[in-house]
């Protein structure tokens, strides 16, 4: 499984013979330096570059190119080598770009000889730098690891080599530039992007600058990357171009469940050898027939002023429709926020570790513990710590400002399925004729980005049931003290989610059933009951519970048998073919052991055949069942009626705060939407 690194993150290497693949979109110089245990390069003979491409254990390209493959054999390196730094630089003096901020973010991957990726890193956050240490392979306690570095140098290769302790830095940089200039005519141009639906594009993301802006992304994703149910809890992938790029299309658009890449085109024209009178390719397509409608190109941001970031544009991502582009852009924003926050936290951890090491060094010397020397050393260590943290915060604030600007243009452009309840899109709501790609369940944010929320989108149809937790969590303290108010708020949240599902499906393609055994949710259910959008009255009492569960379990059994037997057309004519949603309030009240078993069956087997579960429950109320219900809780995506930081992100280790999507107090938008849904259903049933 590929490890997608963020700046400062490392990953163990299990193979000695490796290949380092670089994709930059524009010709760059690729090289490597060998350094000792202290990280110093002993001489020019320890630098692999186009003028001297081969060293023991390392071989680099002989010319500048948009794509590189560097060979590395860790076992063949000299014993004194403890670190191999992979460096990239823009050719100087050849009329090309002079800073990485004007080109695509380089993508670097460490692979085995069979091409299988071990780790990858997209070098984001560069601006005026013209040389960068992308990553390093280093030996620690006899084992090799790879670390994402991303350290840029505005002074180019000369400054990079000088920072690594090379005394002949300027002479070596000049020699490399001269060798590159001589061979640049043979440099390899960037290949056209090859994309496949649902797969990641393995080349650098297009920068949001001027005419080069396009909306291609690198990653993502979202693998199922985001939290358990993160902007997608079930199909996420998580999913960039890096914060501050202004594109949001990020890597993430390519995570599982997020088809970020557009489908390949099928051009009808075939180029033939030209003869006398031929002026171009021969078109063999029928003159009156178009094989396929080409995708609408994404909107292009206006050119940025010099020194200013590109202006964000809604839909600036890959996709064949505006909905798909916005969907991918939201994922890119999520990934950008995750990456820039991870980089900030890593920088803070590094600053604290460095300060602790310097303080330990001071305290280890008895002569410096007393007197002004020790105090001065402590102040110096603390000043360095503050400087590092301040610099990291400045970068984070810059990235957050760009993401906030992007959010401000994306939010108003979202369709109803992706939009908040207070979005004007709901006031212009019309019952759709197609099922959308995804559904918004709320918002996500991190402690460092309190003013920025990312929509939490899950793919449709739902692959997991939903659990609206009406119990008290640690983050609930001080927000709601009355458990009855919390239960009511949980049911209001469930009704809002059910109404949104009804609103985004075409007429007759979604049915909602409700179990309210104690009849305690009458006020919350009023919008659904009064508009007549439910499949039947809410079931009350033990008899009502068993009746609804019996009908839905029978439906699951029938559909499963028909699918397995290849006889889908043999289903009973009175079987409702629509997707089914069962909303259960105050579980397990009114449920006996048999009903609990049926509910578990629906949670496990229902989603595959169109029967979904939304449970409003406090886990403590079901404590009497012990571990019997543990599989049920684990199978459901847990949501809360109030903000709570319970969504874990295994991708970069963040804990995201979930904020539910609420209907504004006093708003009639829910009644307005459900009234239109009910009218469309009546017309469809005629």
């Amino acid at each position: 499984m590929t490890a997608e690194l963020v700046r400062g993150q490392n990953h163990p290497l299990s193979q000695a013979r490796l290949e380092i693949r670089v994709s930059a979109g524009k010709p760059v110089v690729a090289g490597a330096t060998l350094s000792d245990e202290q990280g110093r390069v002993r001489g020019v003979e320890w630098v692999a570059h186009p003028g001297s491409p081969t060293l023991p254990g390392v071989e680099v390209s002989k010319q500048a190119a948009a794509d590189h493959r560097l060979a590395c054999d860790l076992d063949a390196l000299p014993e004194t080598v403890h670190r191999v730094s992979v460096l990239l630089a823009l050719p100087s003096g050849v009329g090309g770009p002079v800073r990485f901020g004007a080109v695509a973010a380089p993508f670097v991957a460490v692979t085995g000889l069979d091409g299988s990726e071990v780790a990858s890193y997209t070098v984001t956050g560069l601006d005026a730098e013209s040389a960068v240490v992308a990553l390093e392979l280093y030996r620690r306690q006899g084992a090799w690891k790879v670390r994402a570095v991303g350290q840029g140098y505005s002074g180019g290769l000369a400054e990079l080599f000088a920072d690594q302790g090379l005394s002949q830095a300027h002479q070596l940089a000049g020699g490399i530039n001269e060798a590159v200039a001589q061979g640049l005519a043979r440099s390899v141009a960037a290949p056209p992007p090859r994309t496949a639906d649902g797969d990641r594009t393995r080349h650098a993301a297009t920068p949001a600058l001027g005419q080069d802006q396009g909306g291609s992304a690198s990653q993502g994703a979202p693998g199922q990357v985001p939290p358990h149910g993160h902007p997608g809890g079930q199909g996420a992938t998580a999913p960039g171009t890096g914060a501050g790029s202004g594109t949001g299309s990020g890597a993430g658009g390519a995570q599982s469940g997020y088809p970020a890449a557009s489908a390949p085109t099928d051009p009808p024209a075939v180029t033939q050898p030209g003869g006398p009178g031929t002026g171009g390719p021969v078109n063999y397509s029928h003159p009156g027939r178009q094989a396929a409608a080409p995708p609408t190109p994404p909107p292009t941001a206006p050119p940025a002023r010099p020194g200013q970031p590109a202006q964000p544009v809604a839909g600036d991502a890959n996709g064949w429709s505006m909905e798909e582009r916005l969907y991918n852009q939201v994922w890119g924003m999520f990934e950008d926020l995750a990456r820039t926050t991870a980089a900030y936290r890593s920088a803070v951890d590094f600053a604290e570790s460095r300060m602790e090491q310097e303080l330990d060094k001071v305290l280890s010397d008895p002569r410096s513990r007393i007197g002004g020397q020790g105090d001065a050393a402590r102040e110096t260590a603390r000043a360095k710590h503050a400087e590092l943290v301040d610099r990291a915060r400045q970068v984070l604030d810059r990235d957050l400002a760009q993401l906030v600007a992007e959010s401000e243009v994306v939010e108003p452009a979202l369709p109803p399925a992706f939009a908040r309840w207070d979005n004007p899109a709901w006031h212009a709501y019309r019952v759709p004729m197609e099922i959308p790609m995804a559904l918004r369940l709320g918002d996500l944010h991190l402690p460092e980005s309190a003013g920025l929320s990312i929509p939490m989108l899950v793919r449709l149809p739902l692959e997991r049931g939903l659990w609206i937790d009406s119990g008290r969590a640690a983050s609930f303290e001080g927000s709601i003290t009355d458990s009855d108010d919390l239960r009511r708020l949980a049911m209001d949240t469930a009704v809002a989610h059910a109404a949104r599902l009804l609103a985004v499906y075409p007429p007759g393609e979604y049915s909602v059933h409700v179990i309210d055994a104690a009849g305690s949710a009458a006020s919350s259910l009023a919008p659904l009951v009064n508009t007549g959008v439910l499949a039947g009255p809410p079931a009350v009492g033990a008899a009502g519970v068993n009746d609804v569960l019996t009908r839905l379990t029978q439906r699951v059994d029938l559909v499963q048998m028909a699918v397995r037997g290849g006889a889908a057309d043999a289903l009973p004519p009175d079987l409702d073919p629509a997707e089914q949603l069962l909303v259960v309030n105050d579980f397990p009240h009114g449920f006996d052991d048999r009903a609990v078993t049926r509910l578990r069956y629906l949670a496990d087997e229902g989603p595959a055949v169109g029967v979904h579960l939304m449970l409003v429950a406090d886990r403590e109320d079901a404590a009497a069942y012990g571990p019997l219900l543990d599989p049920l809780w684990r199978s459901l995506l847990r949501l809360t009626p109030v903000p709570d930081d319970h969504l874990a992100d295994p991708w970069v280790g963040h804990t995201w705060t979930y904020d539910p999507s609420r209907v504004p107090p006093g708003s009639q938008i829910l009644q307005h939407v459900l009234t239109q849904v009910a009218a469309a259903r009546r017309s469809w049933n005629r």
Side-chain angles (χ1 to χ4, degrees):
M1 182 176 180
T2 305
E4 299 188 11
L5 306 180
V6 297
R7 183 175 299 174
Q9 187 178 2
N10 59 42
H11 185 73
L13 296 174
S14 59
Q15 305 177 50
R17 302 183 65 186
L18 302 167
E19 192 174 69
I20 301 169
R21 302 185 180 185
V22 179
S23 182
K26 296 287 184 181
V28 297
V29 180
T33 60
L34 310 182
S35 52
D36 56 21
E37 197 167 3
Q38 285 72 40
R40 303 187 68 83
V41 180
R42 295 187 177 180
V44 294
E45 66 276 5
W46 275 25
V47 181
H49 56 84
S52 177
T54 303
L55 292 179
V58 177
E59 185 176 357
V60 303
S61 304
K62 296 182 179 180
Q63 60 186 31
D67 294 276
H68 293 271
R69 292 192 177 189
L70 286 64
C72 183
D73 187 350
L74 301 177
D75 290 339
L77 293 171
E79 288 295 328
T80 53
V81 173
H82 288 261
R83 184 179 305 172
V84 179
S85 299
V86 177
L87 57 94
L88 306 175
L90 294 171
S92 62
V94 295
V98 296
R99 61 187 186 92
F100 275 109
V103 300
F107 175 80
V108 187
V110 179
T111 72
L113 296 183
D114 59 353
S116 59
E117 284 192 11
V118 178
S120 64
Y121 172 46
T122 301
V123 189
T124 59
L126 300 178
D127 187 12
E129 297 87 347
S130 58
V132 60
V133 177
L135 51 78
E136 62 182 13
L137 314 179
Y138 65 98
R139 179 160 42 194
R140 180 68 55 83
Q141 297 179 349
W144 284 91
K145 295 183 179 182
V146 57
R147 176 188 288 122
V149 180
Q151 177 63 55
Y153 297 87
S154 57
L157 287 173
E159 184 181 357
L160 186 154
F161 291 142
D163 188 51
Q164 295 191 353
L166 196 60
S167 58
Q168 307 97 322
H170 288 277
Q171 296 90 326
L172 179 59
I176 294 175
N177 290 330
E178 182 179 353
V180 169
Q182 294 176 357
L184 193 59
R186 301 188 304 274
S187 63
V188 181
R194 297 187 305 165
T195 60
D197 190 18
D199 293 338
R200 175 178 174 189
T201 305
R202 291 296 181 185
H203 58 82
T206 303
L209 292 173
Q211 63 182 5
D212 290 336
Q213 177 178 354
S216 176
S218 73
Q219 166 80 315
Q224 311 270 17
V225 189
H228 227 227
H230 171 38
Q234 55 203 18
T237 102
T241 58
S245 67
T247 76
S249 57
Q255 287 170 336
S256 178
Y258 270 101
S262 56
T265 58
D266 186 16
V270 179
T271 301
Q272 299 290 342
T278 61
V282 180
N283 190 347
Y284 291 104
S285 64
H286 191 284
R289 181 185 305 129
Q290 185 172 358
T296 304
T300 303
R305 296 179 179 178
Q308 297 293 327
Q311 297 299 316
V313 174
D316 188 13
N318 284 345
W320 285 72
S321 66
M322 188 62 173
E323 179 190 55
E324 184 179 355
R325 293 198 295 269
L326 288 169
Y327 175 80
N328 293 331
Q329 188 171 13
V330 168
W331 271 106
M333 293 168 60
F334 165 74
E335 292 182 346
D336 290 348
L337 179 56
R339 285 191 176 97
T340 190
T341 304
Y344 170 73
R345 293 180 180 179
S346 177
V348 171
D349 291 343
F350 171 77
E352 293 177 351
S353 175
R354 177 174 176 175
M355 182 179 66
E356 291 176 359
Q357 292 177 2
E358 293 179 351
L359 292 177
D360 290 343
K361 183 177 180 180
V362 172
L363 295 176
S364 63
D365 188 355
R367 295 172 297 178
S368 61
R369 295 178 187 172
I370 303 175
Q373 183 180 358
D375 294 339
R378 294 185 186 95
E379 289 300 324
T380 301
R382 295 189 180 100
K384 289 181 180 178
H385 171 269
E387 180 185 0
L388 290 174
V389 173
D390 289 344
R391 289 168 57 187
R393 186 70 210 191
Q394 290 174 5
V395 175
L396 176 65
D397 291 342
R398 179 201 66 191
D399 293 346
L400 290 180
Q402 184 69 12
L403 285 172
V404 168
E406 187 171 10
S407 177
E408 289 175 351
V409 300
V410 169
E411 278 287 353
L414 294 178
F418 300 175
R420 295 192 184 102
W421 283 111
D422 58 357
N423 193 306
W426 285 108
H427 295 279
Y429 168 77
R430 293 293 182 269
V431 178
M433 300 308 295
E434 295 182 355
I435 302 174
M437 294 181 60
L439 184 82
R440 186 173 189 158
L441 294 181
D443 297 278
L444 296 167
H445 63 84
L446 294 169
E448 292 86 352
S449 61
L452 174 65
S453 294
I454 306 297
M456 176 178 173
L457 304 179
V458 296
R459 290 299 300 265
L460 291 178
L462 297 173
E463 297 177 5
R464 302 174 60 196
L466 305 178
W467 166 28
I468 314 299
D469 191 355
S470 59
R472 190 180 306 280
S475 58
F476 289 171
E477 296 297 333
S479 57
I480 296 180
T481 57
D482 191 342
S483 61
D484 291 337
D485 289 343
L486 193 57
R487 294 174 187 272
R488 176 188 53 78
L489 191 58
M491 193 59 194
D492 289 344
T493 303
V495 169
H497 290 322
R500 185 183 287 264
L501 283 164
L502 283 167
V504 302
Y505 271 79
E509 295 195 21
Y510 209 81
S511 296
V512 177
H513 309 262
V514 175
I515 291 179
D516 184 20
S520 58
S523 60
S524 298
L525 292 171
L528 298 176
V529 174
N530 295 341
T531 54
V533 295
L534 294 178
V540 296
V545 170
N546 288 324
D547 178 62
V548 173
L549 293 177
T550 299
R551 286 188 284 111
L552 290 178
T553 52
Q554 288 178 349
R555 184 187 188 280
V556 171
D557 291 339
L558 287 173
V559 176
Q560 281 186 338
M561 287 188 293
V563 171
R564 292 169 183 170
D569 54 348
L571 289 169
D574 58 345
L575 182 76
D576 185 3
E579 299 270 327
Q580 308 289 313
L581 174 68
L582 174 60
V583 181
V584 180
N585 179 46
D586 203 17
F587 175 81
H589 183 83
F591 281 70
D592 54 21
D593 292 344
R594 185 179 182 185
V596 169
T597 302
R598 287 178 172 174
L599 192 71
R600 286 186 54 189
Y601 176 73
L602 291 179
D604 293 338
E605 304 294 335
V609 292
V611 178
H612 311 284
L613 181 63
M614 186 184 298
L615 202 62
V616 181
D618 180 358
R619 191 167 182 173
E620 293 183 0
D621 293 343
Y625 288 92
L628 177 66
L629 291 182
D630 286 349
L632 173 64
W633 305 120
R634 288 194 297 266
S635 68
L636 303 175
L637 171 60
R638 177 175 175 254
L639 304 176
T640 54
V642 295
D644 184 46
D645 55 351
H646 67 279
L647 289 177
D649 178 5
W651 182 31
V652 289
H654 295 331
T655 299
W656 294 79
T657 297
Y658 166 76
D659 196 356
S661 181
R662 299 189 185 90
V663 179
S667 173
Q668 297 298 314
I669 192 63
L670 206 62
Q671 188 78 16
H672 166 72
V673 170
L674 291 178
T675 299
Q676 292 201 44
V677 172
R681 292 182 59 164
R682 287 192 296 268
S683 300
W684 180 82
N685 288 326
R686 289 175 182 174

